[in-house]
């Protein structure tokens, strides 16, 4: 049944429109809706085309005066941003409804359908629907502009370490990636003896310096240079420089402590081996297995230098080994390592196999070495060392050889390595050709030292076949699958339908379940 309008009663009659003469119900304007709209346009003064600024690098929209917002297409945030553009021109009308009209995602046009009301002509309320077109105009934001300029920086952190090997820098790079401290940098520049981190604000640079002081033993200096000064607003523009120097000692370095420092560390020997560098320097005495930690403040009060670099290490073969058990400690001795085993070893250089020259020494690698194994060490007997503390030592207390680490076949280790590390995007200048070998040394250190890789994110390499055991046939240490993370890659999502933000790498196949024993 159709609804029929009842005829006008005598209590409420119709009137004629004063413009076109058709009968209409009485209203304050005495005009029909069509004629009223021809006389009054309540959307007058509201712009029908507005410009919206969009940064293509970071995909953010500008909200005046200087705020950049991340908004998806046809989202509530984008609608609010568009309405704020019209807020100043809509003070005399009432907004009833607003919504998006579909446009091509790449058309650089956003259409918003608005419904407004306004009181016109003696109190008559008129409602009108119209469309406002927002034109997207590209404009680079300040943050992206600083990144592209690469020299628009306010603060720089200069990290330096006066060593030949870069093991500490490789370890520091992984810590920075894990804690995501590289995201605020404008530029990362790698030079011969260190890395420079450029920042847009002094606060971000100070945060990096605080992180370095808690991560590696170092010391810092601060300086700033005046760039400009506004005398009217009394504002100053400075460029700040934080100079951070890391202690010049790396893992597997042989050092000679001062007598005073060695005594303060529990009467340990002066000739020690650095087994790890974290927030402190971890030292071990190869003659007694005594361990000690030296922090940055202690080092700078009593500095000591490395006696050798990795290029000076020579390869030895173990001729005989005898494990030392129940060794008596001296009075006032400090802690001893429980992860190492003290042993007396007879070794011979692989380059001198045609001679009968052998060397006797003590080592902390008794738990790893067997007769016939290859080991890398430093030959004190045939080395020319100029060190302040070593020259004053009793020659009888200086060992002939200090063994550092067991040697494995590097080509096999590289071939069977099924994991990888992330790297920062750096500008390389003046790099050495020996970087690849040093990086491989760092990867081998991660495989050999479980405590060192606890602070490093290790990702499974999907291009390699996963391993099932933690050791290979030669006994070389490996990293288990339990310690690896799945690598995640970000796809270029533009906000369209079905765009996946995260695409995980294929998972490792699950280990086969052991057979269930039959019930008795």
């Amino acid at each position: 049944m159709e609804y029929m309008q009842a005829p006008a009663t005598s209590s409420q009659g119709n009137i004629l429109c004063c413009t076109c003469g058709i009968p209409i119900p009485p209203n304050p304007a005495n005009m029909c809706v069509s004629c009223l709209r021809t006389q009054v346009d309540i959307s007058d003064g509201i712009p029908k085309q507005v410009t919206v600024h969009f940064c293509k690098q970071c995909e953010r929209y500008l909200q005046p005066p200087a705020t950049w917002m991340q908004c998806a297409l046809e989202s509530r945030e984008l609608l609010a941003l568009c309405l704020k553009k019209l807020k100043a021109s809509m003070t005399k009308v009432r907004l009833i409804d607003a919504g998006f009209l579909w446009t091509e995602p790449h058309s650089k046009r956003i259409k918003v359908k608005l419904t407004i009301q306004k009181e016109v002509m003696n109190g008559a309320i008129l409602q009108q629907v119209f469309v406002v077109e927002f034109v997207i105009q590209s404009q680079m934001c300040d943050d992206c502009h600083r990144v592209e300029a690469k020299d628009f920086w306010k603060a720089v952190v200069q990290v330096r370490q006066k060593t030949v090997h870069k093991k500490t820098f490789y370890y520091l790079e992984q810590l920075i990636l894990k804690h995501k401290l590289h995201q605020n940098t404008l530029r990362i520049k790698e030079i011969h003896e260190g890395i420079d981190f450029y920042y847009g604000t002094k606060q971000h640079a100070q945060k990096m310096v605080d992180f370095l002081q808690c991560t590696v033993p170092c010391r810092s200096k601060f300086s700033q240079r005046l760039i400009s000064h506004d005398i009217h607003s009394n504002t100053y523009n400075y460029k700040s420089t934080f100079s951070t120097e890391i202690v010049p000692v790396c893992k597997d370095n042989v050092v000679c402590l001062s007598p005073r420092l060695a005594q303060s560390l529990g009467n340990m020997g002066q000739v020690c081996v650095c087994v790890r560098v974290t927030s402190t320097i971890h030292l071990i005495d190869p003659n007694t297995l005594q361990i000690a930690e030296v922090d940055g403040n202690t080092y700078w009060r009593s500095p000591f230098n490395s006696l050798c670099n990795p290029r000076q290490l020579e390869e030895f073969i173990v001729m005989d080994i005898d494990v030392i058990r129940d060794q008596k400690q001296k009075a006032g001795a400090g802690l001893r390592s429980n992860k190492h085993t003290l042993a007396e070893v007879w070794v011979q250089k692989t380059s001198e196999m045609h001679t009968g020259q052998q060397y006797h020494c003590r080592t902390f690698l008794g738990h790893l070495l067997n007769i016939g194994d290859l080991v890398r060490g430093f030959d004190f007997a045939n080395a020319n060392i100029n060190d302040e503390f070593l020259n004053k030592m009793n020659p009888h207390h200086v060992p002939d050889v200090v063994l550092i680490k067991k040697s494995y076949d590097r080509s096999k280790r590289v071939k069977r390595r099924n994991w990888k590390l992330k790297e920062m995007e750096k500008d390389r200048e003046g790099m050495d050709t020996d970087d690849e070998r040093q990086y491989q040394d760092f990867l081998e250190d991660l495989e050999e030292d479980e405590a060192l890789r606890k602070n490093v994110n290790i990702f499974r390499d999907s291009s390699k076949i996963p391993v099932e055991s933690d050791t290979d046939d030669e006994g070389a240490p490996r990293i288990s699958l339990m310690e690896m993370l799945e690598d995640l890659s970000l796809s270029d999502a533009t906000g369209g339908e079905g765009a996946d933000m995260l695409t995980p790498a294929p998972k490792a196949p699950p280990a086969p379940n052991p057979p269930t024993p039959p019930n008795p």
Side-chain angles (χ1 to χ4, degrees):
M1 180 181 296
E2 295 182 0
Y3 177 77
M4 303 296 294
Q5 184 176 3
T9 60
S10 59
S11 61
Q12 181 180 359
N14 292 339
I15 64 173
L16 298 180
C17 176
C18 63
T19 303
C20 62
I22 64 173
I24 59 172
N27 59 66
N30 295 328
M31 297 177 65
C32 64
V33 176
S34 300
C35 296
L36 189 59
R37 286 179 177 174
T38 58
Q39 297 293 328
V40 180
D41 183 14
I42 63 175
S43 65
D44 187 23
I46 302 177
K48 304 303 186 294
Q49 192 175 58
V50 184
T51 302
V52 176
H53 297 284
F54 176 73
C55 179
K56 295 189 293 184
Q57 275 74 12
C58 60
E59 297 183 354
R60 294 186 299 176
Y61 294 88
L62 174 62
Q63 178 178 332
T67 304
W68 292 85
M69 297 178 56
Q70 191 85 25
C71 303
L73 290 177
E74 298 191 3
S75 63
R76 296 179 60 184
E77 293 79 8
L78 183 58
L79 181 60
L81 186 143
C82 293
L83 293 179
K84 286 182 180 180
K85 286 274 188 177
L86 305 174
K87 185 177 180 180
S89 59
M90 296 179 61
T91 56
K92 298 181 180 180
V93 298
R94 180 183 179 187
L95 180 64
I96 301 300
D97 188 23
F100 288 102
L101 295 179
W102 186 86
T103 56
E104 283 287 343
H106 302 289
S107 64
K108 294 187 178 181
R109 296 293 188 274
I110 300 175
K111 292 185 178 181
V112 179
K113 181 180 179 181
L114 301 178
T115 303
I116 60 175
Q117 286 182 354
K118 184 179 181 182
E119 183 178 347
V120 296
M121 289 190 179
N122 303 323
I125 297 177
L126 183 63
Q127 180 171 307
Q128 185 175 347
V129 179
F130 63 101
V131 177
V132 179
E133 185 181 57
F134 294 86
V135 181
I136 299 177
Q137 184 175 353
S138 299
Q139 176 179 334
M140 187 177 293
C141 65
D142 293 340
D143 296 336
C144 295
H145 179 73
R146 291 171 182 173
V147 173
E148 292 296 327
K150 293 185 178 180
D151 58 351
F152 192 89
W153 53 272
K154 294 293 184 65
V156 58
V157 179
Q158 300 174 343
V159 186
R160 300 290 184 267
Q161 186 183 32
K162 298 179 180 179
T163 56
V164 177
H165 208 287
K166 299 180 179 180
K167 289 184 178 181
T168 306
F169 280 108
Y170 291 137
Y171 174 70
L172 186 61
E173 178 183 11
Q174 297 303 316
L175 293 181
I176 293 174
L177 288 171
K178 182 175 182 179
H179 294 86
K180 299 180 180 179
L181 289 179
H182 64 293
Q183 294 181 345
N184 295 324
T185 57
L186 303 180
R187 181 189 181 192
I188 302 176
K189 181 180 178 182
E190 185 174 358
I191 61 174
H192 176 62
E193 289 185 345
I195 305 177
D196 292 343
F197 298 90
Y198 294 89
Y199 293 92
T201 61
K202 180 182 175 182
Q203 289 76 14
H204 290 156
Q206 184 65 53
K207 184 178 180 181
M208 171 61 81
V209 174
D210 296 339
F211 174 78
L212 293 175
Q213 292 177 346
C214 298
T215 305
V216 291
C218 60
R219 61 180 177 181
S220 301
K221 294 182 180 179
F222 170 72
S223 63
Q224 58 184 5
R225 179 165 57 97
L226 180 64
I227 303 300
S228 61
H229 173 213
D230 188 356
I231 59 175
H232 301 288
S233 59
N234 199 25
T235 57
Y236 296 84
N237 182 19
Y238 289 101
K239 279 194 174 184
S240 305
T241 301
F242 296 86
S243 179
T244 303
E245 182 182 0
I246 304 176
V247 295
V249 178
C250 292
K251 185 179 183 297
D252 298 334
N253 284 165
V254 182
V255 299
C256 184
L257 310 179
S258 64
R260 182 177 180 181
L261 179 59
Q263 183 180 7
S264 64
L265 296 177
N267 290 327
M268 66 187 307
Q270 289 184 244
V271 178
C272 299
V273 177
C274 176
V275 294
R276 192 182 304 116
V277 176
T278 55
S279 57
T280 58
I281 305 173
H282 299 256
L283 302 176
I284 186 171
D285 186 354
N287 292 322
T288 61
L289 289 186
Q290 188 172 338
I291 57 176
E293 295 184 10
V294 179
D295 57 4
N297 295 330
T298 304
Y299 175 85
W300 298 117
R301 286 196 302 266
S302 302
F304 50 86
N305 298 320
S306 174
L307 303 181
C308 65
N309 58 61
R311 298 179 182 177
Q312 296 174 314
L313 296 182
E314 300 189 40
E315 192 174 58
F316 297 84
I317 185 171
V318 178
M319 309 302 296
D320 191 11
I321 183 171
D322 184 16
V323 177
I324 301 176
R325 304 184 186 276
D326 300 330
Q327 184 191 19
K328 295 183 180 180
Q329 290 186 338
K330 299 179 181 179
L335 297 177
R336 295 185 61 186
S337 175
N338 297 325
K339 298 181 180 180
H340 303 85
T341 302
L342 188 63
E344 291 187 353
V345 186
W346 286 91
V347 294
Q348 186 176 5
K349 288 184 181 180
T350 55
S351 59
E352 298 178 354
M353 295 297 293
H354 59 282
T355 65
Q357 179 66 34
Q358 294 187 4
Y359 303 92
H360 174 264
C361 64
R362 282 192 174 189
T363 181
F364 57 93
L365 303 175
H367 60 296
L368 296 176
L369 300 181
N370 296 304
I371 297 178
D373 287 344
L374 297 178
V375 60
R376 298 182 65 83
F378 183 63
D379 183 9
F380 272 87
N382 301 314
N384 184 12
I385 304 173
N386 184 15
D387 185 78
E388 175 185 1
F389 306 123
L390 186 67
N391 295 337
K392 296 180 181 179
M393 284 184 60
N394 188 344
H396 298 287
H397 295 164
V398 178
D400 293 337
V401 174
V402 175
L403 301 181
I404 303 298
K405 60 190 300 185
K406 186 176 179 180
S407 180
Y408 302 96
D409 189 349
R410 168 164 289 184
S411 61
K412 292 183 179 180
R413 297 184 70 172
V414 173
K415 184 178 180 180
R416 297 178 182 179
R417 184 173 295 137
N418 64 327
W419 54 274
K420 60 184 179 179
L421 300 176
K422 298 289 186 180
E423 294 185 13
M424 295 187 301
E425 295 183 1
K426 302 184 291 290
D427 297 336
R428 301 176 181 270
E429 295 184 7
M431 304 306 299
D432 296 333
T433 57
D434 201 30
D435 288 345
E436 181 62 28
R437 184 189 66 83
Q438 296 184 14
Y439 188 68
Q440 293 298 327
D441 290 343
F442 173 68
L443 298 183
E444 293 177 1
D445 291 342
L446 290 179
E447 292 177 339
E448 297 168 3
D449 194 345
E450 182 180 358
L452 185 65
R453 63 176 180 261
K454 284 184 178 180
N455 299 325
V456 177
N457 286 339
I458 298 174
F459 297 92
R460 190 178 70 86
D461 192 352
S462 58
S463 62
K464 301 278 185 77
I465 300 177
V467 296
E468 298 181 358
S469 60
D470 296 343
T471 57
D472 57 10
D473 298 336
E474 298 180 354
R478 311 242 334 237
I479 299 179
S480 63
L481 286 174
M482 298 297 294
E483 301 179 74
M484 300 181 192
L485 302 175
E486 291 290 342
D487 188 14
L488 298 178
S489 60
L490 290 177
S491 62
D492 185 14
T494 58
E497 293 188 27
D500 297 330
M501 292 300 296
L502 290 178
T503 305
K507 296 183 179 180
N513 296 326
T516 306
N519 295 327

